[in-house]
Amino acid sequence: MPNRVTKEKAKPRKAPESKFNSKDTTDNSLVLLWLCVNNISGDQINFDAVAAALNITTIAAKFRFRRLKDKMDAKMKAFEESKEAKPESATKPAQPAMEPADI
């Protein structure tokens, strides 16, 4: 049927571009942390302002902060455990076995 009208296949829609979607997670974490620190009033983080700066939703900003906090808590716990597990001789500088002779 040559005169048949067909619809084009639907193209996938892209999410709005965020300033925060690069692959470098260290930079992303630092940006999030910096925005959170700069948007503290009293003892509360203003996640609405953080989200607006990153062009994401407030819920997404809260979840990203929670994941960063959980990750840092785990790293700090592992760091503290590794400090406790080290023997005392590993933390002290080595002492010479003999003192140099007086000349």
Side-chain angles (χ1 to χ4, degrees):
M1 296 183 182
N3 293 334
R4 185 174 167 194
V5 177
T6 60
K7 293 182 180 178
E8 286 187 37
K9 191 173 185 177
K11 296 179 182 175
R13 293 180 9 180
K14 291 184 178 179
E17 283 296 317
S18 170
K19 301 173 190 174
F20 199 63
N21 285 336
S22 74
K23 297 291 182 192
D24 190 354
T25 57
T26 302
D27 283 349
N28 287 344
S29 297
L30 287 173
V31 169
L32 176 66
L33 186 58
W34 181 252
L35 287 169
C36 289
V37 167
N38 284 324
N39 288 292
I40 291 177
S41 57
D43 61 348
Q44 298 282 322
I45 297 172
N46 182 351
F47 284 106
D48 293 329
V50 172
L54 296 173
N55 194 27
I56 60 176
T57 65
T58 302
I59 298 294
K62 288 179 180 181
F63 274 111
R64 289 181 185 190
F65 179 77
R66 171 58 63 188
R67 285 192 299 266
L68 176 61
K69 183 183 179 306
D70 291 345
K71 186 177 178 181
M72 291 307 300
D73 286 344
K75 285 186 181 247
M76 290 305 298
K77 182 179 178 184
F79 176 73
E80 292 298 323
E81 288 172 354
S82 71
K83 279 185 9 181
E84 292 171 2
K86 286 185 181 177
E88 203 171 303
S89 62
T91 59
K92 290 185 178 179
Q95 298 292 326
M98 296 181 1
E99 294 292 323
D102 291 330
I103 301 179

